Amino acid sequence: MPENTIYTLARSLQQTSGLEQNLNQMLSALKSTVESDYLQKIRTAAKNEKAFSVEHPPREVTLLRALSAFTDDKGREQLDRMTQSLLFLHTMQHIQQNVQELSSGNLLAARSAEGQPAEEFPSARSAQLAGLLLTLALTERF
């Protein structure tokens, strides 16, 4: 007697434990892929932008740091908050400048892309998206 395909399919569909396990595995794999392919790169770029601003602070930050040696604890705390705010703004300006340079087609400014053919440079929209994602990641870092 031939096998009843409807019966076999209905039994398979009724057993949801395997389906739930498969969906959990797919979701876990998707999370892992997004984390490694995108989020880690965004966090690393944000960390590098912050490090650049700390290593190359504007004059105002240098002045505030010098003044903090001559204040009490409360004043030092306020100056530290101002320093952090200025570093954050400086980092945002640096990111915005890089986005504008890439968006306007200033390929010489794209130092990290040396040796690549012109068609491999990011589009203006990609540069803007990268700037936005860095900004969002930096709000968490500062």
Side-chain angles (χ1 to χ4, degrees), residues 25-91:
Q25 288 173 344
M26 286 189 297
L27 184 59
S28 177
L30 179 62
K31 284 180 182 179
S32 175
T33 300
V34 168
E35 177 69 33
S36 65
D37 289 352
Y38 300 102
L39 296 178
Q40 283 181 349
K41 291 176 184 176
I42 293 167
R43 288 184 191 116
T44 300
K47 180 181 171 184
N48 291 341
E49 287 293 333
K50 181 179 179 183
F52 179 83
S53 289
V54 169
E55 290 173 14
H56 302 92
R59 292 182 306 231
E60 298 84 1
V61 169
T62 305
L63 177 63
L64 288 174
R65 286 179 177 161
L67 289 174
S68 70
F70 301 102
T71 62
D72 60 359
D73 288 341
K74 187 175 179 181
R76 194 172 299 117
E77 198 175 293
Q78 289 175 339
L79 289 174
D80 287 346
R81 282 196 305 267
M82 285 190 275
T83 300
Q84 285 298 103
S85 297
L86 284 173
L87 281 174
F88 179 75
L89 290 174
H90 180 67
T91 305

Side-chain angles (χ1 to χ4, degrees), residues 2-3 6 17 21 24 35 44 46 61 76 83 87 100 125:
E3 185 177 333
I6 300 294
S17 63
Q21 182 181 7
N24 286 335
E35 177 69 33
T44 300
V61 169
R76 194 172 299 117
T83 300
L87 281 174
Q100 286 176 346
R125 191 171 299 268

Side-chain angles (χ1 to χ4, degrees), residues 2-9:
E3 185 177 333
N4 186 338
T5 56
I6 300 294
Y7 172 78
T8 305
L9 181 61

Side-chain angles (χ1 to χ4, degrees), residues 73-120:
D73 288 341
K74 187 175 179 181
R76 194 172 299 117
E77 198 175 293
Q78 289 175 339
L79 289 174
D80 287 346
R81 282 196 305 267
M82 285 190 275
T83 300
Q84 285 298 103
S85 297
L86 284 173
L87 281 174
F88 179 75
L89 290 174
H90 180 67
T91 305
M92 293 299 108
Q93 289 170 344
H94 185 254
I95 290 171
Q96 184 61 32
Q97 179 184 4
N98 288 340
V99 168
Q100 286 176 346
E101 287 173 350
L102 283 173
S103 295
S104 67
N106 185 357
L107 302 180
L108 294 176
R111 288 175 240 122
S112 64
E114 290 177 7
Q116 293 183 357
E119 64 270 5
E120 292 185 24

